[in-house]
Every structure is written in structure tokens, then in C-alpha cells.
Amino acid sequence: MTPVDHPAAPSPRLSYRLAFASALVAGGALLLAVALLIVVEFFALRSALVDDTRVQAALIADNVSAALVFNDAEAAADIVGSLRASSIVIGAIVVDGEGATLAAYPDGFAADRSNPGDFAVDDHRFRESRLELVAPVRHRGAMLGHVHLVVSMAVVYQRLGVYAVAALGIAAVALLVAVGLLSRVRQSVHLAEQNLRHLAHIDPVTGLANRNAFNERLEFAIREADSFDEKVAMLLLDLDNFKQVNDTLGHQAGDELLRMVAQRMLRALRRDDVVARLGGDEFAVILHRVGARSEVTQVCSKLIETIGQPLPVEGLDFFVTASVGVAFFPEDAQDSRTLTRNADTAMYQAKLAGKNAFELFVPAMNASVKKRVTLESSLRTAMANGELALHYQPKIDLMSGRVLGFEALLRWQSPEHGNVSPADFVPIAEDCGLIVPIGEWVITQALADLRTWNDGRAHKLHVAVNLSTRQLRVDDISRRIARLIADCAVPADWLELELTESMVMENVHAQIETFHQLRELGVKLAIDDFGTGYSSMSYLKRLPIDTLKIDRSFVSDLPQDANDLAIATAIVAVGHSLGLTVIAEGIESADQAEALLNLGCDLGQGYLYARPMPAGEVVRYLAAAG
Ligand code: C2E
Ligand code: MG
Ligand code: MG
């Protein structure tokens, strides 16, 4: 498949015909101009001949006047005989007052003197390519006779011929030069047009069709399928962890990766399938003449499989996965916009379902997307309306049973949607960026609450706040957090920031600097849900962290599950060997607590000790805990 071609491009034959037609028009115009010039030149040459002949006749008339006075035919013959020097004179006669010919050149020449009425003395006329001119011969005012001179117009025609040939030659050369220049200009315009059309239709990074070209192709595919009663499948493919490569290795490596993905997609598809990059890490595919749905699901699996193979970028193997959404014409949508929207909804579902998968569109998906959209719009006003609150869950020293601090957990009591779990709304807040202001509010609120609880306390408590990676990407995050701490006027080490292991490892290169800056503030750092995010031990060593938090999933089946026990043991060992505090979350039973204590785990948190409680209950809880 050629990545892109343009059905709208005019055929070269048509443009040649256009060029030929315009050359023809220009040639016609030049020819007309040359013809007009020749006519003008003819009259100019003719009038010059008349002037010359008149001068010549006047000279003869002057010279011959004496011969006429004396009726001296010999002298008159001598004078007109001098005309032999002229190449254009055909003949001349000298006529006396009575109309008799006194002398003629050449001898015996007789001018046609018919119609003398329309041919007065001192006049001229043109006749059969000759010019005849009559000049009066006067002596002291008296009319003695006249000289009748006949000259050939051949010279006029000769000169006109030369002039015409020259003019036509010049016109032809001018036409050739103009046509040459024109065709060069036309060629460069054509090239520029082609370039523009190319740029408007291809994605410069991958060479695939871009969004514009894709939309045109989709419209076309739908029209065609409609007339032939066929099915079209549209696949929308989004890379799941492309940002990581882009952020880690930079945009050039990111582009390289996109090119590799594009090549793999092209190889996995048929020649007449359309592949496009719609922007960012989003690709789209059109499959024509689809038979069974299973055909399409096979294509989806193949795409996911081929993209999932390691991608070598700058000497490192990167693993990128893809989520694919599929919608069919005509079952799922009748027009390209709805088809695209539905494929997008399906893709979104594939992401929600855990990524690296495909989903076929079903109408119920629209409802779940709608729900998310309404949740998002309610969330936008939740903070201002005071619908957000913090609940606190104590962290217990497993050995002594003492409360060492709390984890602040966000709660949303929405008048519209009821109690929304942070597991549901935090990802939405992350996607739309609301997590940044919400997260800052959480820190401020948690520190303000902690200040009242620590007031007059011998052993100061700390508070742990969950942070999302989206917050880490905010410019100057450490300065912003420093300001929040300063505004609350509390020591920085009262605050612990919890980051989930998967978030940290997703972009560890880019974040390590931020971690160090936060650490310099005096803030403590913990890795949450540890054991689920495939930490690299070498990174763990380099990260300036204080605490590892064993994920709940390894705690719930303790002490019976041998695997979980082994994992928990390993995490405690790794944590302690790196000099970190280890805490277990989700402790619900005394057996679990005991098993963890036996493993050497330092702290615990879970329903066994207390469920997350509103701030108002914390004082009572602390009083009871002593
Ligand atoms: P997490 O940070 O791992 O929080 C622990 C979760 O486990 C909390 O769920 C807590 O209520 C629950 N939990 C505690 N003890 C037990 C137990 O014994 N058994 C069971 N089954 N569960 C227990 P919650 O409050 O629903 O929070 C869910 C997640 O939402 C949190 O996981 C955290 O990742 C996120 N989250 C909560 N508050 C915030 C916040 O302010 N900012 C950010 N970015 N994320 C937050
Ligand atoms: Mg947490
Ligand atoms: Mg956790």
C-alpha cells in the first residue's frame, strides 16, 4: 500500500491540454498583432513611396519647364532619360499644355491617361502594383504642362515581405520563449501544488495518511460500502504507554517509535486497508468489505500482538501496548462522524478494561461514557461546593500498637451521584487535570487538620497524602508543595507523600529529579501498593524514599498463602536492606497483623485498627488510643 495517494489530483493530460490551449490562444493573438503591424507598415511604405516619387517628379518638372517653354523635345527627352538611374521608375512622359507628349522615358512609353477626370494634376493613384503620379510643370505661375511618372510598387512589396518575415520570426521566438517560461512556471506551480496536497494529507512523522486524509477515505469507504451493500470496520488504536518513551527519551526517540509502530501496522494489514495517524499516539484503520466480525477481531489481535513486540529505540528495548476500539458501518453508525465517535468509545472501554486489548462497540458503552462525562462535569464544581472531604486512617506501629500517623483519603459526597469512590473519580480528575488543584487542597487540608491534632502532643503524628503522577508533572511541584507547607506553618517532615509503585516506575527517569527536590524540602516519600508495579531494584536504590507500603493484595491471604507470605517476606527484606520503613496496608485480622509483625514489618494500616474516619472523629479516636 502506498501510504497516501490523492484521488482529487487533476490528470497530467488535462494540464497538458490546458497548456496547449493557452499557447494556441497566445499564438493567435500574436498573429493578429503581426497582421495589424504589416497593414500599418504597408501604408507607411506606400506613403513613403508617394513622397519619394513626388520629389522625383517635382525635380523633373522643374528641369523640364524650359524645354516645354521652347518646345524642345530633345532637351525634355534628356531630362526624363535621367530617370534611368532609378530602379523603381517604370516610365515617364512630359506632356505640354495641349496634352501632347513632348518626351517619354523609355522611348515610346505611353502612360495610361484614361480617366483623366479622376486623375488631376498633382495627384497620384495606385494601379495594378504601380504608382502613377502627375506633377504640374509651371513657369512664372503659368501652367505649361505636366510630368506623368509611373513607378513600380515592387519595392514596397519586397520591404513589406522582409518586414512580415521579421515580424513573424520575432513573434514566433517570443511565443516559444513565453511558452517555455510558462511551462517552467507551470511545472513549479504543479510541483508546489503537489507538495501542498501531500503535506495536507500525510503525517510527516510516519508518512501515513493524516487525519484529513483519513476522514476523506472514511467518507469514501462508507459511500462505497453503502452502494455495494458492504460492511466497513473502523479501528481506533491508541498506544497505552507512549508518553513514557516520549518523556524519558525525548521526542526524537518518540517519533522513531511511532514510525516503527506505523511500519508494523502496515505489515500486519492488507494492501487496500487504510492506515492513518490521527495525531499523538492515536492511529486509525479502515477495513473494507468486511465479512464476519471474527475477521476484524483477528486483525485487532494481530495488531496488538505485533505492536507489543519489543521496540528497539536507542539501544533499549521498549514495550508499548495498544488499546483498540472497533465500530462497524452500517450496524453501529450510518455516518463517518458517529462511526469515529463509537470506535473512540470502544477504545476508551478497552483502556478502562486494563489496556492492551480491543473492544467492539456496543451501544451500552455510550451510557458508560456519558456517565463519566457527567461525573467529570460534577467534579469540576465539587471542590468549590464543599463536596470533597478527607477521611483519615491511622497508621499503627505493629510492635507497640501506637498510632504514628494517618493516611488522608479523599471522599466525594456528590448530591447528584452520591458517595463516589476515589477509585472512580481520582482517575477522572487525573485525566482532566483537576487532580492538581484538588491535590493541593488535600495537602493544605490534611496539614491544617494535623496541626490541630499535634497541638500539645509529645509524639508528633505525621500525615500521608496520596499524590498522582499528574501532579508530579506540574512545573515547580516541589516549590508549590514547599509553599503549601509554609502556609500551614508546620515542619515538612510531618508530611509524607505516597506514590503508587506503577506510577513511579512508569516514568522513573523523568521523576527522579523531582523526588530529590521533594526530599530536600524534608518531606517523606513512600511507595504505595508496593509489589504490583514491577520495580526495578536498581531504581529503588537510587530513589530517595523513606517507606515501602506492601500492597493489600499480598496481605489479605496471610498467613495461609505461601506465595503471599514469600512476597511479603521479600518486600520487608528489600525495604530493610535499603534502610526503609515497611508498612502493610489492608490489615483486617489479628492473624495478618501477627504474621506481618513476625516478618519484621514496621507499621500496619487497615480495618483491624480503624476504618478511614472523618476528621471530626480523629480527636476522639486519638483520645481513646491514648
Ligand atoms: P490507597 O492509597 O492504596 O489507599 C488505601 C485504600 O485501601 C483506601 O481506599 C482505603 O480505604 C482502603 N483500605 C484501608 N484499609 C483497608 C482494609 O483493611 N481492607 C480493605 N479492603 N481496604 C482498606 P480508598 O479510600 O477507596 O482509596 C482508594 C485509592 O484512591 C487510594 O489507594 C489512593 O490510590 C486513591 N486516593 C485516595 N485519596 C486520594 C488523594 O487524595 N489523592 C490521590 N491522588 N489519590 C487518592
Ligand atoms: Mg495510599
Ligand atoms: Mg495502597
Side-chain angles (χ1 to χ4, degrees):
M1 169 171 28
T2 48
V4 195
D5 49 47
H6 316 297
S11 80
R13 281 193 58 185
L14 182 67
S15 76
Y16 280 124
R17 265 197 260 159
L18 275 174
F20 183 70
S22 46
L24 218 62
V25 169
L30 268 177
L31 218 60
L32 187 68
V34 167
L36 284 173
L37 280 174
I38 291 172
V39 170
V40 170
E41 180 67 10
F42 172 68
F43 284 106
L45 284 172
R46 219 174 61 161
S47 94
L49 184 70
V50 170
D51 290 345
D52 290 352
T53 311
R54 182 165 285 132
V55 170
Q56 224 163 9
L59 281 172
I60 301 289
D62 274 357
N63 292 339
V64 92
S65 60
L68 267 177
V69 169
F70 299 107
N71 203 19
D72 182 351
E74 215 170 310
D78 276 353
I79 293 165
V80 286
S82 69
L83 286 172
R84 79 180 65 86
S86 164
S87 61
I88 62 167
V89 173
I90 294 172
I93 49 172
V94 179
V95 181
D96 66 14
E98 266 76 58
T101 301
L102 185 65
Y105 163 79
D107 273 347
F109 178 78
D112 178 9
R113 288 160 63 204
S114 58
N115 298 335
D118 59 61
F119 192 48
V121 166
D122 204 12
D123 201 357
H124 68 271
R125 70 178 172 196
F126 297 98
R127 245 196 199 185
E128 296 160 6
S129 66
R130 302 163 156 214
L131 165 65
E132 296 186 18
L133 191 138
V134 174
V137 181
R138 289 192 179 87
H139 182 70
R140 294 197 183 134
M143 184 84 158
L144 298 179
H146 63 266
V147 173
H148 191 134
L149 197 59
V150 179
V151 298
S152 162
M153 286 191 53
V155 66
V156 168
Y157 294 125
Q158 264 170 21
R159 285 187 191 160
L160 201 63
V162 172
Y163 181 83
V165 169
L168 280 172
I170 291 170
V173 169
L175 188 67
L176 278 178
V177 170
V179 166
L181 283 177
L182 210 72
S183 85
R184 275 180 57 180
V185 169
R186 195 179 294 277
Q187 259 174 7
S188 20
V189 168
H190 187 68
L191 268 177
E193 268 177 2
Q194 256 183 342
N195 264 342
L196 277 178
R197 212 175 301 120
H198 194 64
L199 283 179
H201 284 82
I202 72 142
D203 164 48
V205 175
T206 58
L208 295 179
N210 66 7
R211 189 182 283 275
N212 279 344
F214 180 80
N215 289 341
E216 282 173 19
R217 299 289 189 89
L218 187 61
E219 290 278 353
F220 181 73
I222 285 178
R223 272 204 306 275
E224 205 183 43
D226 199 25
S227 20
F228 294 103
D229 217 7
E230 290 169 350
K231 252 202 231 183
V232 172
M234 169 172 173
L235 278 58
L236 209 67
L237 185 147
D238 194 276
L239 302 181
D240 298 320
N241 33 3
F242 172 68
K243 253 199 91 31
Q244 186 188 337
V245 179
N246 229 20
D247 290 352
T248 315
L249 293 185
H251 289 276
Q252 257 182 346
D255 286 356
E256 179 60 30
L257 189 137
L258 288 173
R259 270 191 287 277
M260 278 192 270
V261 168
Q263 286 309 314
R264 286 184 182 187
M265 287 180 73
L266 285 171
R267 274 202 297 274
L269 293 162
R270 294 179 307 196
R271 277 180 67 80
D272 63 341
D273 297 334
V274 176
V275 189
R277 178 174 167 234
L278 304 187
D281 56 359
E282 199 175 54
F283 293 83
V285 176
I286 303 170
L287 304 179
H288 303 275
R289 290 178 289 282
V290 170
R293 284 185 163 230
S294 59
E295 266 179 35
V296 177
T297 56
Q298 272 172 17
V299 172
C300 291
S301 307
K302 200 166 152 193
L303 283 174
I304 289 173
E305 211 264 332
T306 175
I307 293 172
Q309 300 299 314
L311 290 151
V313 180
E314 296 187 356
L316 290 172
D317 272 352
F318 273 85
F319 290 87
V320 169
T321 58
S323 299
V324 185
V326 186
F328 291 91
F329 170 88
E331 295 100 307
D332 300 330
Q334 307 297 316
D335 60 278
S336 63
R337 288 184 95 194
T338 320
L339 194 66
T340 310
R341 202 177 52 234
N342 290 349
D344 192 46
T345 303
M347 191 268 288
Y348 190 68
Q349 287 296 323
K351 292 246 182 217
L352 288 185
K355 305 181 177 172
N356 195 21
F358 66 87
E359 288 280 349
L360 306 187
F361 174 79
V362 283
M365 286 177 179
N366 275 335
S368 86
V369 168
K370 214 183 237 159
K371 179 162 181 241
R372 192 189 149 114
V373 171
T374 56
L375 265 184
E376 185 181 320
S377 77
S378 309
L379 190 58
R380 288 191 183 278
T381 51
M383 203 164 76
N385 294 347
E387 296 164 20
L388 297 180
L390 290 181
H391 280 201
Y392 293 93
Q393 188 176 36
K395 295 182 169 194
I396 310 294
D397 177 5
L398 287 179
M399 191 84 87
S400 65
R402 264 180 39 211
V403 180
L404 296 187
F406 291 90
E407 176 176 9
L409 293 157
L410 196 52
R411 296 290 174 262
W412 179 18
Q413 173 67 50
S414 160
E416 246 176 289
H417 310 281
N419 273 331
V420 190
S421 157
D424 290 332
F425 74 83
V426 167
I428 299 179
E430 280 171 356
D431 277 358
C432 65
L434 274 175
I435 196 67
V436 175
I438 291 178
E440 294 193 350
W441 173 82
V442 170
I443 292 175
T444 308
Q445 187 61 43
L447 289 179
D449 287 342
L450 185 68
R451 201 177 47 200
T452 51
W453 303 330
N454 270 346
D455 196 17
R457 244 189 116 81
H459 298 286
K460 303 296 185 201
L461 302 166
H462 73 266
V463 71
V465 164
N466 294 284
L467 212 67
S468 81
T469 30
R470 179 73 173 72
Q471 287 171 270
L472 282 188
R473 275 192 257 123
V474 171
D475 278 346
D476 261 0
I477 179 68
S478 52
R479 286 246 304 273
R480 290 172 81 126
I481 290 182
R483 210 187 53 232
L484 298 177
I485 297 170
D487 288 349
C488 290
V490 294
D493 65 359
W494 284 11
L495 177 66
E496 183 165 55
L497 298 173
E498 288 190 10
L499 290 128
T500 64
E501 185 190 20
S502 49
M503 283 180 189
V504 172
M505 289 304 151
E506 203 175 275
N507 204 356
V508 71
H509 305 269
Q511 290 173 356
I512 215 153
E513 178 64 28
T514 314
F515 273 72
H516 280 283
Q517 288 168 355
L518 289 170
R519 182 61 180 278
E520 271 165 32
L521 294 181
V523 169
K524 295 223 155 54
L525 297 172
I527 296 199
D528 204 352
D529 303 345
F530 191 79
T532 57
Y534 315 105
S535 275
S536 139
M537 288 302 148
S538 64
Y539 282 131
L540 211 54
K541 204 176 77 186
R542 284 166 55 197
L543 286 172
I545 46 173
D546 303 275
T547 308
L548 286 188
K549 200 168 189 183
I550 306 175
D551 188 64
R552 197 166 64 224
S553 59
F554 305 116
V555 173
S556 54
D557 292 331
L558 288 183
Q560 298 83 8
D561 191 299
N563 286 337
D564 287 350
L565 198 64
I567 292 169
T569 311
I571 296 175
V572 172
V574 166
H576 284 171
S577 70
L578 294 173
L580 309 177
T581 303
V582 180
I583 173 170
E585 66 179 2
I587 303 177
E588 294 182 353
S589 71
D591 285 351
Q592 291 166 349
E594 199 189 320
L596 286 158
L597 181 64
N598 289 338
L599 293 179
C601 183
D602 307 296
L603 306 185
Q605 185 185 339
Y607 295 169
L608 172 67
Y609 309 104
R611 288 182 176 254
M613 62 192 92
E617 278 179 28
V618 171
V619 180
R620 235 174 302 142
Y621 171 82
L622 285 174

mmCIF file of all heavy atoms in Angstrom, residues 20 59 61 101 139 148 156 158 185 187 190 203 253 259 273 313 346 369 389 463 465 478 515 536 542 554 563-564 613:
data_model
loop_
_atom_site.group_PDB
_atom_site.id
_atom_site.type_symbol
_atom_site.label_atom_id
_atom_site.label_comp_id
_atom_site.label_asym_id
_atom_site.label_seq_id
_atom_site.Cartn_x
_atom_site.Cartn_y
_atom_site.Cartn_z
ATOM 1 N N PHE A 20 -1.483 23.581 -23.856
ATOM 2 C CA PHE A 20 -1.510 23.681 -25.312
ATOM 3 C C PHE A 20 -2.533 24.730 -25.752
ATOM 4 O O PHE A 20 -2.260 25.576 -26.613
ATOM 5 C CB PHE A 20 -1.849 22.300 -25.886
ATOM 6 C CG PHE A 20 -1.845 22.269 -27.382
ATOM 7 C CD1 PHE A 20 -0.652 22.386 -28.082
ATOM 8 C CD2 PHE A 20 -3.029 22.143 -28.096
ATOM 9 C CE1 PHE A 20 -0.649 22.368 -29.458
ATOM 10 C CE2 PHE A 20 -3.024 22.129 -29.475
ATOM 11 C CZ PHE A 20 -1.830 22.244 -30.162
ATOM 12 N N LEU A 59 11.273 67.366 -59.300
ATOM 13 C CA LEU A 59 12.597 67.691 -59.851
ATOM 14 C C LEU A 59 12.550 67.686 -61.379
ATOM 15 O O LEU A 59 13.023 68.624 -62.041
ATOM 16 C CB LEU A 59 13.638 66.671 -59.377
ATOM 17 C CG LEU A 59 14.164 66.877 -57.951
ATOM 18 C CD1 LEU A 59 15.047 65.702 -57.520
ATOM 19 C CD2 LEU A 59 14.967 68.187 -57.899
ATOM 20 N N ALA A 61 9.899 67.995 -63.195
ATOM 21 C CA ALA A 61 9.030 69.099 -63.645
ATOM 22 C C ALA A 61 9.797 70.419 -63.674
ATOM 23 O O ALA A 61 9.692 71.201 -64.633
ATOM 24 C CB ALA A 61 7.813 69.193 -62.731
ATOM 25 N N THR A 101 2.374 64.633 -75.977
ATOM 26 C CA THR A 101 3.563 64.115 -75.292
ATOM 27 C C THR A 101 4.799 64.725 -75.952
ATOM 28 O O THR A 101 4.989 64.595 -77.161
ATOM 29 C CB THR A 101 3.627 62.588 -75.401
ATOM 30 O OG1 THR A 101 2.447 62.057 -74.821
ATOM 31 C CG2 THR A 101 4.853 62.023 -74.693
ATOM 32 N N HIS A 139 5.762 77.690 -65.120
ATOM 33 C CA HIS A 139 6.818 78.688 -65.331
ATOM 34 C C HIS A 139 6.231 80.047 -65.036
ATOM 35 O O HIS A 139 5.258 80.451 -65.681
ATOM 36 C CB HIS A 139 7.348 78.613 -66.776
ATOM 37 C CG HIS A 139 8.470 79.584 -67.031
ATOM 38 N ND1 HIS A 139 9.716 79.405 -66.457
ATOM 39 C CD2 HIS A 139 8.522 80.722 -67.777
ATOM 40 C CE1 HIS A 139 10.494 80.422 -66.839
ATOM 41 N NE2 HIS A 139 9.789 81.244 -67.636
ATOM 42 N N HIS A 148 4.226 62.991 -66.077
ATOM 43 C CA HIS A 148 3.464 61.812 -65.615
ATOM 44 C C HIS A 148 4.477 60.704 -65.334
ATOM 45 O O HIS A 148 5.148 60.233 -66.239
ATOM 46 C CB HIS A 148 2.496 61.394 -66.740
ATOM 47 C CG HIS A 148 1.499 60.392 -66.288
ATOM 48 N ND1 HIS A 148 0.144 60.510 -66.588
ATOM 49 C CD2 HIS A 148 1.623 59.276 -65.556
ATOM 50 C CE1 HIS A 148 -0.489 59.474 -66.061
ATOM 51 N NE2 HIS A 148 0.415 58.715 -65.419
ATOM 52 N N VAL A 156 7.934 48.259 -52.494
ATOM 53 C CA VAL A 156 7.074 48.271 -51.289
ATOM 54 C C VAL A 156 6.782 46.842 -50.858
ATOM 55 O O VAL A 156 6.917 46.485 -49.686
ATOM 56 C CB VAL A 156 5.760 49.042 -51.586
ATOM 57 C CG1 VAL A 156 4.743 48.825 -50.474
ATOM 58 C CG2 VAL A 156 6.041 50.511 -51.749
ATOM 59 N N GLN A 158 8.450 44.165 -51.586
ATOM 60 C CA GLN A 158 9.663 43.493 -51.103
ATOM 61 C C GLN A 158 9.921 43.822 -49.637
ATOM 62 O O GLN A 158 10.119 42.957 -48.787
ATOM 63 C CB GLN A 158 10.872 43.970 -51.904
ATOM 64 C CG GLN A 158 11.228 43.065 -53.045
ATOM 65 C CD GLN A 158 12.267 43.718 -53.938
ATOM 66 O OE1 GLN A 158 12.970 44.632 -53.500
ATOM 67 N NE2 GLN A 158 12.341 43.256 -55.182
ATOM 68 N N VAL A 185 7.129 27.714 -15.306
ATOM 69 C CA VAL A 185 6.348 28.237 -14.171
ATOM 70 C C VAL A 185 5.258 27.239 -13.813
ATOM 71 O O VAL A 185 5.037 26.916 -12.643
ATOM 72 C CB VAL A 185 5.727 29.608 -14.542
ATOM 73 C CG1 VAL A 185 4.713 30.038 -13.504
ATOM 74 C CG2 VAL A 185 6.824 30.647 -14.678
ATOM 75 N N GLN A 187 5.238 24.078 -14.320
ATOM 76 C CA GLN A 187 5.815 22.901 -13.674
ATOM 77 C C GLN A 187 6.085 23.158 -12.198
ATOM 78 O O GLN A 187 5.765 22.337 -11.348
ATOM 79 C CB GLN A 187 7.132 22.537 -14.347
ATOM 80 C CG GLN A 187 6.973 21.384 -15.320
ATOM 81 C CD GLN A 187 8.254 21.131 -16.074
ATOM 82 O OE1 GLN A 187 9.276 21.743 -15.758
ATOM 83 N NE2 GLN A 187 8.197 20.271 -17.055
ATOM 84 N N HIS A 190 2.912 23.321 -10.392
ATOM 85 C CA HIS A 190 2.365 21.979 -10.262
ATOM 86 C C HIS A 190 3.056 21.221 -9.123
ATOM 87 O O HIS A 190 2.411 20.597 -8.284
ATOM 88 C CB HIS A 190 2.569 21.250 -11.595
ATOM 89 C CG HIS A 190 1.903 19.908 -11.646
ATOM 90 N ND1 HIS A 190 0.530 19.768 -11.661
ATOM 91 C CD2 HIS A 190 2.407 18.650 -11.665
ATOM 92 C CE1 HIS A 190 0.226 18.482 -11.692
ATOM 93 N NE2 HIS A 190 1.353 17.784 -11.690
ATOM 94 N N ASP A 203 0.987 12.455 7.309
ATOM 95 C CA ASP A 203 1.569 12.741 8.599
ATOM 96 C C ASP A 203 3.086 12.741 8.409
ATOM 97 O O ASP A 203 3.647 11.731 7.968
ATOM 98 C CB ASP A 203 1.125 11.649 9.567
ATOM 99 C CG ASP A 203 1.985 11.638 10.799
ATOM 100 O OD1 ASP A 203 2.201 12.719 11.360
ATOM 101 O OD2 ASP A 203 2.461 10.546 11.181
ATOM 102 N N ALA A 253 13.193 10.163 19.807
ATOM 103 C CA ALA A 253 13.029 8.728 20.027
ATOM 104 C C ALA A 253 11.553 8.373 19.953
ATOM 105 O O ALA A 253 11.181 7.324 19.418
ATOM 106 C CB ALA A 253 13.605 8.342 21.378
ATOM 107 N N ARG A 259 7.203 5.680 14.151
ATOM 108 C CA ARG A 259 7.476 5.175 12.797
ATOM 109 C C ARG A 259 7.506 3.641 12.794
ATOM 110 O O ARG A 259 6.974 3.007 11.894
ATOM 111 C CB ARG A 259 8.821 5.710 12.294
ATOM 112 C CG ARG A 259 8.686 7.028 11.553
ATOM 113 C CD ARG A 259 9.976 7.371 10.847
ATOM 114 N NE ARG A 259 11.016 7.791 11.769
ATOM 115 C CZ ARG A 259 11.134 9.021 12.252
ATOM 116 N NH1 ARG A 259 10.277 9.950 11.889
ATOM 117 N NH2 ARG A 259 12.097 9.337 13.092
ATOM 118 N N ASP A 273 -6.125 -1.919 2.897
ATOM 119 C CA ASP A 273 -6.599 -1.333 4.162
ATOM 120 C C ASP A 273 -5.985 0.054 4.301
ATOM 121 O O ASP A 273 -4.877 0.290 3.831
ATOM 122 C CB ASP A 273 -6.150 -2.193 5.353
ATOM 123 C CG ASP A 273 -6.750 -3.592 5.302
ATOM 124 O OD1 ASP A 273 -7.827 -3.743 4.689
ATOM 125 O OD2 ASP A 273 -6.131 -4.513 5.848
ATOM 126 N N VAL A 313 14.706 1.124 20.599
ATOM 127 C CA VAL A 313 14.925 2.559 20.404
ATOM 128 C C VAL A 313 16.181 2.938 21.182
ATOM 129 O O VAL A 313 16.265 2.689 22.388
ATOM 130 C CB VAL A 313 13.729 3.387 20.913
ATOM 131 C CG1 VAL A 313 13.981 4.872 20.698
ATOM 132 C CG2 VAL A 313 12.441 2.987 20.214
ATOM 133 N N ALA A 346 -15.385 2.730 22.103
ATOM 134 C CA ALA A 346 -14.945 1.336 22.296
ATOM 135 C C ALA A 346 -13.480 1.297 22.737
ATOM 136 O O ALA A 346 -13.111 0.513 23.612
ATOM 137 C CB ALA A 346 -15.137 0.553 21.005
ATOM 138 N N VAL A 369 -19.885 6.026 28.936
ATOM 139 C CA VAL A 369 -19.096 7.221 28.629
ATOM 140 C C VAL A 369 -19.850 8.468 29.095
ATOM 141 O O VAL A 369 -19.274 9.392 29.671
ATOM 142 C CB VAL A 369 -18.792 7.295 27.115
ATOM 143 C CG1 VAL A 369 -18.230 8.651 26.748
ATOM 144 C CG2 VAL A 369 -17.826 6.205 26.730
ATOM 145 N N ALA A 389 -14.152 15.884 50.978
ATOM 146 C CA ALA A 389 -13.736 15.834 52.389
ATOM 147 C C ALA A 389 -12.599 14.834 52.510
ATOM 148 O O ALA A 389 -12.383 14.024 51.607
ATOM 149 C CB ALA A 389 -14.916 15.389 53.246
ATOM 150 N N VAL A 463 1.187 12.872 58.574
ATOM 151 C CA VAL A 463 0.048 12.547 57.719
ATOM 152 C C VAL A 463 0.573 12.168 56.336
ATOM 153 O O VAL A 463 1.487 12.806 55.813
ATOM 154 C CB VAL A 463 -0.983 13.700 57.662
ATOM 155 C CG1 VAL A 463 -0.477 14.899 56.881
ATOM 156 C CG2 VAL A 463 -2.300 13.227 57.047
ATOM 157 N N VAL A 465 -0.241 11.673 52.374
ATOM 158 C CA VAL A 465 -1.179 12.131 51.343
ATOM 159 C C VAL A 465 -0.826 11.409 50.047
ATOM 160 O O VAL A 465 0.351 11.272 49.707
ATOM 161 C CB VAL A 465 -1.059 13.667 51.181
ATOM 162 C CG1 VAL A 465 -1.701 14.132 49.891
ATOM 163 C CG2 VAL A 465 -1.680 14.378 52.374
ATOM 164 N N SER A 478 7.811 20.946 43.505
ATOM 165 C CA SER A 478 8.393 20.959 44.851
ATOM 166 C C SER A 478 8.248 22.351 45.480
ATOM 167 O O SER A 478 7.965 22.468 46.674
ATOM 168 C CB SER A 478 9.854 20.513 44.814
ATOM 169 O OG SER A 478 10.542 21.265 43.863
ATOM 170 N N PHE A 515 11.834 13.871 42.772
ATOM 171 C CA PHE A 515 11.916 13.160 44.050
ATOM 172 C C PHE A 515 12.996 13.767 44.949
ATOM 173 O O PHE A 515 12.769 13.974 46.145
ATOM 174 C CB PHE A 515 12.266 11.687 43.801
ATOM 175 C CG PHE A 515 11.064 10.836 43.548
ATOM 176 C CD1 PHE A 515 10.381 10.935 42.360
ATOM 177 C CD2 PHE A 515 10.618 9.942 44.500
ATOM 178 C CE1 PHE A 515 9.262 10.159 42.119
ATOM 179 C CE2 PHE A 515 9.499 9.164 44.271
ATOM 180 C CZ PHE A 515 8.828 9.267 43.080
ATOM 181 N N SER A 536 12.158 -1.828 39.494
ATOM 182 C CA SER A 536 13.498 -2.303 39.226
ATOM 183 C C SER A 536 14.302 -1.997 40.482
ATOM 184 O O SER A 536 14.240 -0.896 41.021
ATOM 185 C CB SER A 536 14.053 -1.560 38.011
ATOM 186 O OG SER A 536 15.378 -1.226 38.232
ATOM 187 N N ARG A 542 18.180 3.982 43.857
ATOM 188 C CA ARG A 542 18.506 5.389 43.545
ATOM 189 C C ARG A 542 17.435 6.370 43.990
ATOM 190 O O ARG A 542 17.684 7.569 44.052
ATOM 191 C CB ARG A 542 18.728 5.531 42.035
ATOM 192 C CG ARG A 542 20.074 4.977 41.617
ATOM 193 C CD ARG A 542 20.154 4.794 40.143
ATOM 194 N NE ARG A 542 19.847 6.014 39.416
ATOM 195 C CZ ARG A 542 19.538 6.054 38.123
ATOM 196 N NH1 ARG A 542 19.492 4.933 37.440
ATOM 197 N NH2 ARG A 542 19.289 7.201 37.535
ATOM 198 N N PHE A 554 -1.237 -8.600 48.881
ATOM 199 C CA PHE A 554 -0.312 -9.597 49.459
ATOM 200 C C PHE A 554 -0.610 -9.832 50.940
ATOM 201 O O PHE A 554 -0.030 -10.705 51.568
ATOM 202 C CB PHE A 554 1.145 -9.157 49.305
ATOM 203 C CG PHE A 554 1.501 -8.852 47.873
ATOM 204 C CD1 PHE A 554 1.859 -7.563 47.495
ATOM 205 C CD2 PHE A 554 1.448 -9.843 46.912
ATOM 206 C CE1 PHE A 554 2.164 -7.285 46.183
ATOM 207 C CE2 PHE A 554 1.749 -9.567 45.597
ATOM 208 C CZ PHE A 554 2.110 -8.280 45.220
ATOM 209 N N ASN A 563 2.664 -18.114 48.844
ATOM 210 C CA ASN A 563 3.247 -17.161 47.890
ATOM 211 C C ASN A 563 3.243 -15.747 48.449
ATOM 212 O O ASN A 563 4.238 -15.022 48.385
ATOM 213 C CB ASN A 563 2.457 -17.150 46.575
ATOM 214 C CG ASN A 563 2.745 -18.393 45.772
ATOM 215 O OD1 ASN A 563 3.794 -19.028 45.950
ATOM 216 N ND2 ASN A 563 1.802 -18.769 44.925
ATOM 217 N N ASP A 564 2.071 -15.368 49.007
ATOM 218 C CA ASP A 564 1.965 -14.018 49.563
ATOM 219 C C ASP A 564 2.940 -13.839 50.717
ATOM 220 O O ASP A 564 3.557 -12.780 50.871
ATOM 221 C CB ASP A 564 0.530 -13.741 50.035
ATOM 222 C CG ASP A 564 -0.406 -13.541 48.850
ATOM 223 O OD1 ASP A 564 0.121 -13.436 47.710
ATOM 224 O OD2 ASP A 564 -1.631 -13.493 49.047
ATOM 225 N N MET A 613 -11.724 7.521 58.826
ATOM 226 C CA MET A 613 -12.769 8.237 59.580
ATOM 227 C C MET A 613 -12.727 9.732 59.247
ATOM 228 O O MET A 613 -11.674 10.264 58.874
ATOM 229 C CB MET A 613 -12.562 8.037 61.080
ATOM 230 C CG MET A 613 -11.226 8.596 61.568
ATOM 231 S SD MET A 613 -10.816 8.068 63.229
ATOM 232 C CE MET A 613 -9.875 6.598 62.913
#
